[in-house]
Amino acid sequence: DTGVSQDPRHKITKRGQNVTFRCDPISEHNRLYWYRQTLGQGPEFLTYFQNEAQLEKSRLLSDRFSAERPKGSFSTLEIQRTEQGDSAMYLCASSLIGSNEKLFFGSGTQLSVL
Amino acid sequence: AQSVSQHNHHVILSEAASLELGCNYSYGGTVNLFWYVQYPGQHLQLLLKYFSGDPLVKGIKGFEAEFIKSKFSFNLRKPSVQWSDTAEYFCAVKTGANNLFFGTGTRLTVIP
């Protein structure tokens, strides 16, 4: 399967700890997105990269969240000093410029903060 | 700010029944509209999209949606649902920025 891969699938952590998630997009895709989804809600936009440049970041995103895509391929999302409210499914998606914004989603990383 | 409303949280239908899921958005400018579907245990995938032209768009698996600009709506329809259509359906809107705003989703349960 050459779709979008996310690692880990599940992460349980204690409040105050730092966590990092990884996303490997479809290889030729130049756009990469991070979304967060909580129970009963739709995915909420967090941030977006075009190649290695982070072009947009949600105003709702806390300073504890940071994302990188250093070589324009895989991306990492780090959450520092996790809080219980950070518990959610973190989704990664990728797309190709000119593909009319068809996003391909990964299966997500389920974060539980105890 | 943009927002997307999906009025039905959970819809239960028998097989062969007709389906219509509501989606309304609030944004005054040009929009691109999408329906994504998430089958149980699977990731989100695109069902259909509207960018311009014919406001009636057809997607995979017999789904279609109609863009009515005057009503700010993009309702999803299927004439006859199947058990395999059981899933969660998300309406999404893209405005000028390169990200999607999703609705809260509608869970569809089809009873055999």
Side-chain angles (χ1 to χ4, degrees), chain B residues 62-73:
Chain B
F63 286 90
E64 63 179 33
E66 185 175 12
F67 170 50
I68 303 179
K69 190 174 181 179
S70 60
K71 294 184 178 180
F72 297 89
S73 71

Side-chain angles (χ1 to χ4, degrees), chain A residues 42-53:
Chain A
E44 174 193 19
F45 170 77
L46 295 179
T47 190
Y48 142 72
F49 291 84
Q50 184 163 303
N51 301 312
E52 66 277 7

Side-chain angles (χ1 to χ4, degrees), chain A residues 43-110:
Chain A
E44 174 193 19
F45 170 77
L46 295 179
T47 190
Y48 142 72
F49 291 84
Q50 184 163 303
N51 301 312
E52 66 277 7
Q54 188 174 17
L55 295 187
E56 195 165 342
K57 191 174 174 181
S58 170
R59 286 172 290 175
L60 302 175
L61 201 59
S62 160
D63 289 344
R64 297 183 294 105
F65 287 69
S66 61
E68 294 182 343
R69 194 183 183 198
K71 297 182 180 178
S73 56
F74 74 91
S75 175
T76 57
L77 177 69
E78 182 183 15
I79 309 174
Q80 296 182 325
R81 305 181 303 281
T82 52
E83 301 173 357
Q84 286 186 325
D86 297 331
S87 296
M89 176 73 81
Y90 289 84
L91 298 169
C92 177
S94 70
S95 71
L96 192 60
I97 296 174
S99 65
N100 284 341
E101 303 308 324
K102 180 176 180 178
L103 299 189
F104 292 80
F105 281 85
S107 298
T109 294
Q110 180 68 52

